[in-house]
Amino acid sequence: MTSPSYWTSLDSPLGPLLLTAAADGALTSLSLPGQKGGRTHTDLDGLRADPAPFREAARQLAAYFAGELKEFRLPLRAEGTEFRTRVWDALDTVPYGATTTYGEVAARIGASRAAVRAVGGAIGANPLLVVRPCHRVIGADGSLTGYAAGLERKVRLLTLEGALPTDGVL
């Protein structure tokens, strides 16, 4: 198990982003305030506050929020079960400005329809919000279902990407 070594905080339109990285610079988490299951400043013991390992992530995030970047190219290292890792890898294939459903993600990883709840759990446990686009997953009926950092942030991200009209309604 590779523990993160560094952390930093970056301002964003969604609120302050808390990022952690491994010793080699791979991003291990990106959390938002109030995020269900997200990292907080209280659980950063043993990590060194240092913005240097995050310069490229900061540049890409700023470009993304400015509408100038459609695909992140950052080294990511999220720890999870083999199933969760497959789900998270599937999220990386959902293009900017598009949405998919939990059932479509299940099909992408070769899981049965009955696995949709497990897929939802894995998506909800995504430790790399924004850069690993779990916000692009919606309900089968087109509804904006759960987002660990709150539905209002999901709406903002999907609106930024053009997947939602500017009034935030599908």
Side-chain angles (χ1 to χ4, degrees), residues 52-69:
F54 303 96
R55 282 195 185 103
E56 184 58 19
R59 185 192 70 73
Q60 289 188 35
L61 284 160
Y64 170 80
F65 287 120
E68 300 163 357
L69 181 82

Side-chain angles (χ1 to χ4, degrees), residues 2 35 54 56 69 71 79 86 109-110 115 137 143 168:
T2 306
Q35 174 186 331
F54 303 96
E56 184 58 19
L69 181 82
E71 186 177 334
E79 293 183 7
R86 285 187 6 238
I109 66 165
V137 183
S143 62

Side-chain angles (χ1 to χ4, degrees), residues 44-93:
L44 297 174
D45 285 349
L47 303 185
R48 194 166 92 219
D50 184 355
F54 303 96
R55 282 195 185 103
E56 184 58 19
R59 185 192 70 73
Q60 289 188 35
L61 284 160
Y64 170 80
F65 287 120
E68 300 163 357
L69 181 82
K70 296 189 181 336
E71 186 177 334
F72 290 98
R73 296 193 186 281
L74 295 167
L76 305 177
R77 185 173 305 122
E79 293 183 7
T81 65
E82 186 267 336
F83 179 80
R84 283 185 173 182
T85 300
R86 285 187 6 238
V87 170
W88 297 336
D89 289 345
L91 294 176
D92 291 337
T93 68

Side-chain angles (χ1 to χ4, degrees), residues 9 22 28 31 33 36 42-43 47 74 76 78 86-87 96 105 121 123-124 126 133 136 139 147 151 156 162 166 169:
S9 186
T28 54
S31 303
K36 181 182 162 196
T42 59
D43 64 6
L47 303 185
L74 295 167
L76 305 177
R86 285 187 6 238
V87 170
Y96 182 96
V105 172
I123 290 169
N126 172 21
R136 297 179 188 153
Y147 186 60
L151 283 180
R156 288 188 72 178
T166 54
V169 178

Side-chain angles (χ1 to χ4, degrees), residues 28-42:
T28 54
S29 71
L30 188 157
S31 303
L32 287 153
Q35 174 186 331
K36 181 182 162 196
R39 293 192 80 118
T40 65
H41 284 91
T42 59

